[in-house]
Amino acid sequence: MENFDLNYNQILSVTMILFAIIDILGSIPIVISLRNKAGHIQSGKASIVASVLMILFLFVGEEMLSIIGLDVSSFAIAGSIVIFIIAMEMILGINLFKEEVSSSVSIVPLAFPLIAGSGTLTTLLSLKSEYATQNIIIGIILNMLFVYIVLKNTIWLEKILGKTGLTILRKAFGIILLAIAVKLFRHNTGL
């Protein structure tokens, strides 16, 4: 049996990286607009579906890559570039990635691609090249608990933080993501 070693530094790092990538606090305005369109958002359903998608991709993502002839290191480098672009979007307040909005909001677009989107899935495989799987899973679960709490309290949080607070949070996490992207790129290229 494989050694099940919990590394709290890894768990903290993974949790912070996923927190920045998922950016649920920065997505509060989008969540509120989706809630207004649909009338109701199933917070639990959205959180569970996003968790399952992420954990599934963590385990089968590598096999999917090998089928198309890619290794995790190459995917991690590509992921670092995606993370870099997402970070630049957050810092500069621009949108390079366009995501469509549909009418069934709890699963699409909330669970996927808003929470468990391409950036998150790419990040998971990038993280797998550097962190132990069990620590990544704990990071996913901690983030999904936080996502659930945020989804349940979006209107209240928007009132508390205000537009300025949300903007500051988004930019701060953008800078953290930028540093993470550079670290992942350097680690997987050996530069």
Side-chain angles (χ1 to χ4, degrees):
M1 189 175 163
E2 198 177 304
N3 189 8
F4 190 81
D5 210 11
L6 293 181
N7 180 320
Y8 297 106
N9 288 337
Q10 281 193 14
I11 292 168
L12 183 64
S13 291
V14 168
T15 303
M16 291 306 292
I17 291 167
L18 288 176
F19 182 77
I21 284 282
I22 293 167
D23 186 31
I24 195 66
L25 292 175
S27 300
I28 289 173
I30 300 164
V31 173
I32 287 171
S33 121
L34 291 173
R35 177 172 270 145
N36 291 342
K37 281 181 193 170
H40 174 68
I41 285 179
Q42 295 171 304
S43 309
K45 190 176 188 179
S47 304
I48 290 167
V49 169
S51 302
V52 169
L53 276 172
M54 286 191 262
I55 291 169
L56 207 75
F57 196 77
L58 185 65
F59 286 101
V60 297
E62 220 172 314
E63 286 73 31
M64 287 169 51
L65 287 179
S66 67
I67 290 170
I68 54 175
L70 291 172
D71 58 78
V72 175
S73 200
S74 300
F75 199 75
I77 292 167
S80 73
I81 294 167
V82 171
I83 295 167
F84 181 86
I85 293 168
I86 292 169
M88 292 308 288
E89 280 186 340
M90 291 168 77
I91 295 166
L92 302 175
I94 55 173
N95 274 333
L96 299 172
F97 292 116
K98 304 283 183 241
E99 291 177 350
E100 291 179 19
V101 176
S102 75
S103 56
S104 58
V105 298
S106 290
I107 306 301
V108 178
L110 191 54
F112 178 82
L114 196 63
I115 299 168
S118 57
T120 307
L121 299 179
T122 305
T123 302
L124 285 173
L125 279 194
S126 303
L127 291 173
K128 197 172 180 182
S129 68
E130 212 172 324
Y131 299 98
T133 304
Q134 67 271 11
N135 297 326
I136 297 173
I137 291 171
I138 292 170
I140 290 170
I141 292 166
L142 290 173
N143 269 282
M144 288 305 100
L145 287 171
F146 186 74
V147 164
Y148 175 76
I149 292 165
V150 169
L151 291 178
K152 276 287 189 201
N153 298 290
T154 45
I155 295 166
W156 179 78
L157 282 168
E158 189 187 38
K159 285 177 187 166
I160 297 276
L161 295 170
K163 272 196 175 202
T164 309
L166 290 173
T167 303
I168 291 168
L169 270 178
R170 193 172 179 88
K171 291 190 185 304
F173 278 104
I175 292 167
I176 292 167
L177 270 188
L178 203 55
I180 291 163
V182 170
K183 182 184 175 193
L184 275 171
F185 187 83
R186 286 182 59 205
H187 178 77
N188 287 285
T189 57
L191 293 175

